[in-house]
């Protein structure tokens, strides 16, 4: 769900907003930390899920942009023409993306560990 919001915000603003990465990481961290308790695997799983959420949000945003600019269907861009979406995604990445992934990874790891140890 957070990836969809991320993609829509990217498309409507034509920018990626840092607090979205923070929100994705926090949203992803809550459920595993709360449900899994003190399991030591959960912070790593929270990190992977947060990074995946940012990636999927970026891909969805790129697909929405390509839909508007080129007329391809979003479902095609995320299905049979996924290679076009990946190419556009790779071409549009920059230094700030490292920061976004870092924020999401941190927020996926630390709160999952804290919530799990408090449960």
């Amino acid at each position: 769900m957070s990836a969809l919001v991320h993609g829509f915000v990217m498309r409507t603003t034509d920018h990626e907003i840092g607090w979205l990465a923070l929100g994705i990481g926090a949203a992803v961290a809550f459920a595993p930390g709360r449900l899994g308790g003190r399991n030591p695997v959960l912070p790593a799983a929270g990190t992977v899920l947060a990074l995946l959420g940012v990636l999927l949000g970026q891909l969805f945003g790129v697909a929405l942009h390509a839909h508007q600019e080129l007329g391809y269907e979003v479902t095609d861009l995320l299905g049979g023409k996924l290679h076009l979406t990946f190419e556009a995604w790779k071409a549009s990445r920059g230094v700030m993306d490292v920061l976004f992934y870092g924020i999401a990874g941190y927020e996926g790891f630390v709160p999952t560990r804290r919530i799990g140890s408090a449960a």
Side-chain angles (χ1 to χ4, degrees):
M1 179 63 152
S2 60
L4 294 175
V5 172
H6 188 186
F8 278 119
V9 170
M10 275 181 60
R11 178 60 205 125
T12 56
T13 64
D14 284 329
H15 291 90
E16 193 167 5
I17 301 171
W19 59 263
L20 281 174
L22 184 87
I24 290 171
V28 166
F30 184 75
R34 203 67 167 131
L35 297 174
R38 296 178 181 258
N39 189 328
V41 174
L42 291 176
T47 301
V48 169
L49 290 173
L51 294 173
L52 187 61
V54 171
L55 172 66
L56 292 175
Q58 289 179 341
L59 288 174
F60 185 60
V62 168
L64 289 173
H65 182 75
H67 166 70
Q68 184 149 359
E69 296 295 319
L70 304 173
Y72 290 121
E73 291 296 323
V74 174
T75 53
D76 288 340
L77 289 165
L78 295 174
K81 294 181 177 11
L82 186 60
H83 65 284
L84 296 175
T85 306
F86 268 118
E87 290 300 317
W89 172 78
K90 287 191 293 187
S92 66
R93 294 305 94 205
V95 175
M96 289 300 290
D97 291 298
V98 174
L99 179 64
F100 294 137
Y101 281 99
I103 290 169
Y106 177 82
E107 284 298 316
F109 182 84
V110 173
T112 302
R113 188 177 63 194
R114 286 186 188 146
I115 292 168
S117 62

